[in-house]
Amino acid sequence: MIQYIIKRFFMMVLTVLLIATLTFFLMHAIPGSPFDDDRTSNPTIQENLEKYYKLDQPLPVQYANYLKAIVTFDFGPSIKKPNDSVNSLLARGFPISFELGIITILVAVLSGVTLGTLAALRHNGIIDYLAMTFAVIGISIPNFILATLLIQIFAGELKWLPAATWQSPLHMILPTLALATGPMAIIARLTRSSMLEVLTQDYIKMARAKGLKPSRIIIRHALRNAMMPVVTIMGTMLAGILTGTFVIERIFAIPGMGKYFVESINNRDYPVIMGSTVFYSAFLVFMLFLVDIVYGILDPRIKLHKKEGESS
Amino acid sequence: MLREQVLHNKSTGKPTFEGKERMEEKILQVEDLQVTFTTFGGVVQAVRGVTFDLHKGETLAIVGESGCGKSVTSNAIMGLIPQPPGKITNGKVVFKGKDLTSFKKSDLRKIQGLDVSMIFQDPMTALNPTMTIGEQLTEGLRTHHKISRVEAKTKAIEMLLLVGISNPSERLNQYPHQFSGGMRQRIVIAIALICEPTLLIADEPTTALDVTIQAQILELFEEIQKKTGVSIILITHDLGVVAKIADRIAVMYAGKIIEIGTKREIFYEPTHPYTKGLLNSVPRLDLVEEELEPIEGTPPDLFAPPAGCAFTARCPYAMEVCNLVYPVATSLSEKHKVDCWLQDERAKGLFN
Amino acid sequence: MTNLKEVEIKDEWFKPKAKNLEKAEMVVRPSLSYWADAWRKLKKNKLAMLGMFFLIFLAIMAIFVPIFSPYLVTATDYPSQNKAPSMTHWFGTDEAGRDVFTRTWYGARISLFVGLMAALIDFFIGIIYGGISGYKGGKVDLIMMRIIEVLYGLPHLLVVILLMVVMGSSLTTIIVALTITGWVGMARIVRGQVLQLKNYEFVTASKSFGAKTSRIIRKNLLPNTMGPIIVQMTLTVPSAIFAEAFLSFLGLGISAPFASWGVMANDALPVILSGHWWRLFFPAFFISLTMFAFNVLGDGLQDALDPKLRG
Ligand SMILES: Nc1ncnc2c1ncn2[C@@H]1O[C@H](COP(=O)(O)OP(=O)(O)OP(=O)(O)O)[C@@H](O)[C@H]1O
Ligand code: SF4
Ligand SMILES: [Mg+2]
């Protein structure tokens, strides 16, 4: 277990470092100073600004400062919002984005797995057909399109739900739905195919031959095995949900990290871009790390811990 | 064809394994069983009228080429035919006087694993890789008898010892991948026997194992049968296995039993040309190697099986009548029956 | 039993049967070539065929509508802004009076172009990288795979966004950014297929090396290994189309006055609550339908090309 975790952890740090470096050099490859387009194009003011943001130092020093900033988790002040530090933006935005993300994942996984399982159990039946049609459609509609359509229908025409912001559970329905539909469809399809495969396995036949109740066979015997491919794609899915929050937060005017990130991109607020990118990547890589561990727990064949008395 | 009266056996108490009675009490009668599968390509007639019976404490071997319907027959007895696409279109499976084909699923479950158990071919896939051996052993027990965890565990340890696994109490917490193939098959057998069933169906229990392990597992079967008096239906390609532990042998071809008799009768007086071919196609001690000859050709398409004898296309003695009409069953002795036109008076003297 | 139904059994039937007649029973299904077989299977898949026809239709419209339309994609006409669909403007107009119909098909051009280019470039990079990695094997393979492993862990769209910020937004930079991150999956698949091929070559070469081997490789093996690669390409297209629309929607891609489905959806955002449904509906409808078509076609190809499922 320890060895496995250490190895994964090392990979994780490496990936974050890679992204951080990439971000740093990409940002510095942009010609000109970030203050070029400011109204105060007075050279002295610019110089002072650059001094304040430590942009006048040689690149290696800046890089070292930057790495230090990452390690100490202090990304400095925002350029375009002088009253805000990157940290304070993250601190304000992250909890909301996290909430959106977690609810989305829960909705996507729970309903995706249920739908996929039902479809597999009624293989080639009406439920299967409907679920899979829904799934292909769900995969095909981009989340930001779905979001705008949902607003137009449920907030615009029907006026059932609020169109924006993140205040009450009612406000959360549309954004979550828009963000969760795609991942849910992918999970449903994957669960179905892996469930169908698992249901033909001998151990399922054996469980039937024991006279077990169908519910026990599905839940205890089939589901855990069928979940393994689903866990493997969780990484890609999490990345998709994370980037999805950018557009969803923008569309629904949710004051999360994604909104600040998109704003920082649009007004070239480099410290915020860099800080958020590194934060996002670190968060994502950490989630992938967790997914790996979950996989290890689900599948006892992966040797997380060595036990005595193993044969073969 | 002979159609025997259904025997209704009233005794439902604990089986007694002593005395001659043992071989007489019929615990299973399969009558004219027919099973089909509906596929995209059409309807497969996998089993086309199988009739046999089984006595207490007896081992019946079912042999035949791949695809002849052995597994489907055994699944039908167990009530494990997936419906759809499968369907039992005709026949009865009378177990202890009750016709299982008329049972509801929930009633079937009360028999599955408790009275009738099954062992599958590949021990590598028959155990759930994500569950401990202990749970897989005890779950059947705990479903059928309302007993405590501790009692179940005691019984599980007892079973593991019976099938020859040492350190059972530690082994219970391990996962299948921590066992070798032979050990896994022992565990599968332990699972099948833990509720002390009256009938055990073993579908090629040794095919996936290497020869030495095979012998060990067969000995285990014999030993267990002696101890518990369980009746066994043993499905196999391997006539060596049959020679070792079967009492009677049924030979299947294209969804029908074409010859059935005691082990002695089948091995020394095989009558059906297919049975003869089958015996000639396996190495035996009393035959020199060069005499081995596999049966030429392939079994017929079960989407459209012939009306007459299905072996006609491959049979060296085929007559005009053979593929027109199915041969009547001929009883050669009390237990030896064969479906072949060669037994007809009119065919005598045709070949010699 | 039933088959005995009082059939009269004639004595003359009891004579040995003419043997040769029976050989006819073993009719073997004519073995079609891999591609013909795959095509036969694909044709049976109604949804995949529908997807394919829609894509052909889309391509034709994307090429010709912007050419023959009386309106220019970028032509503004403020007096007739935000007009609902009518005989003059089939899909209505936007806030600058631009013709949504023309813009929609122009958007189709962009989407298809981005999707196809991304798939093609991924394919070439993937073939080269995966080919070298699989062919060389050993240490080279190990290192190249480690690199891929690390790259695989990167959040792609995030990297693409960064690249777009740095390179500035244009169609070319979108394609470059997408392929910089996108080739990894293809390289993995190519490597796997190359390993399979190599294995096979090795086996046959050590047995007997005749003219037959190359024929087998060409006729059976190459098609088999191409299958997964083609499927991967078909599935790259919709994800590239999505990425382009996503970036344009965030203001990082194509920008007005030029049209892409993402841009059009973004422009429609402020007015969706004011009843101008056509502004959002048409780009939304076509992007979803296009992705749907590629997805079902990809699924169909996957089934048709899967060697495991071949009967
Ligand atoms: N679920 C199913 N759907 C369609 N056809 C089936 C199904 N199960 C079995 N069959 C068909 O029934 C026939 C008999 O199969 P069965 O598994 O009983 O053969 P078998 O004698 O056990 O062969 P083997 O020795 O290979 O195990 C085969 O032709 C098979 O194709
Ligand atoms: S019935 Fe005819 S074809 Fe069939 S086994 Fe007997 S002789 Fe051969
Ligand atoms: Mg079988």
Side-chain angles (χ1 to χ4, degrees), chain A residues 93-285:
Chain A
F94 179 70
I96 295 175
S97 298
F98 187 72
E99 202 174 27
L100 172 63
I102 288 293
I103 298 177
T104 302
I105 290 168
L106 283 180
V107 170
V109 170
L110 291 181
S111 47
V113 168
T114 314
L115 208 61
T117 307
L118 284 179
L121 294 180
R122 297 276 174 274
H123 185 36
N124 287 336
I126 295 242
I127 295 183
D128 186 18
Y129 186 74
L130 288 179
M132 286 310 110
T133 311
F134 168 76
V136 193
I137 293 174
I139 289 171
S140 302
I141 302 183
N143 45 23
F144 58 94
I145 296 285
L146 185 61
T148 35
L149 285 175
L150 286 175
I151 293 178
Q152 192 161 46
I153 296 169
F154 291 101
E157 304 296 324
L158 301 172
K159 300 204 189 321
W160 286 352
L161 292 166
T165 70
W166 189 254
Q167 289 156 14
S168 68
L170 224 52
H171 287 82
M172 297 178 186
I173 294 177
L174 290 185
T176 313
L177 210 58
L179 195 52
T181 302
M184 172 170 87
I186 295 175
I187 292 178
R189 271 163 58 115
L190 198 61
T191 305
R192 171 181 177 270
S193 64
S194 97
M195 189 59 127
L196 281 177
E197 162 112 30
V198 165
L199 287 178
T200 63
Q201 298 291 313
D202 277 356
Y203 56 80
I204 297 296
K205 235 176 160 187
M206 177 117 167
R208 290 213 180 97
K210 285 179 192 167
L212 303 182
K213 283 209 194 79
S215 57
R216 182 176 165 91
I217 295 176
I218 298 302
I219 295 167
R220 194 71 191 85
H221 282 265
L223 208 54
R224 182 160 166 191
N225 287 290
M227 283 320 289
M228 285 184 200
V230 178
V231 176
T232 354
I233 62 145
M234 275 315 274
T236 338
M237 183 144 299
L238 287 173
I241 291 177
L242 188 136
T243 39
T245 58
F246 304 167
V247 276
I248 295 302
E249 287 176 10
R250 187 172 117 79
I251 295 171
F252 290 94
I254 297 168
M257 230 173 108
K259 186 168 162 284
Y260 296 128
F261 182 58
V262 174
E263 271 173 23
S264 72
I265 287 172
N266 286 333
N267 54 30
R268 313 279 139 154
D269 192 342
Y270 297 118
V272 179
I273 297 182
M274 281 158 72
S276 333
T277 308
V278 172
F279 184 80
Y280 272 130
S281 325
F283 180 71
L284 191 67
V285 171

Side-chain angles (χ1 to χ4, degrees), chain A residues 3-40:
Chain A
Q3 212 182 346
Y4 178 77
I5 289 185
I6 289 176
K7 193 183 154 228
R8 300 304 315 178
F9 191 80
F10 181 72
M11 279 294 278
M12 185 169 116
V13 173
L14 195 71
T15 312
V16 174
L17 191 70
L18 187 77
I19 296 172
T21 309
L22 196 76
T23 319
F24 179 82
F25 287 104
L26 279 178
M27 288 297 124
H28 284 269
I30 303 172
S33 149
F35 310 107
D36 277 350
D37 53 336
D38 275 29
R39 270 157 222 257
T40 51

Side-chain angles (χ1 to χ4, degrees), chain B residues 71 121 203-204:
Chain B
S71 297
Q121 174 172 349
D203 193 349
E204 312 200 22

Side-chain angles (χ1 to χ4, degrees), chain B residues 69 95 129 131 140 157 161 167 197 202 250 266 273 278 282 300 338 349:
Chain B
F95 177 75
M131 281 166 75
I157 291 174
L161 281 177
N167 277 344
I266 299 293
L278 207 60
V282 289
V338 64

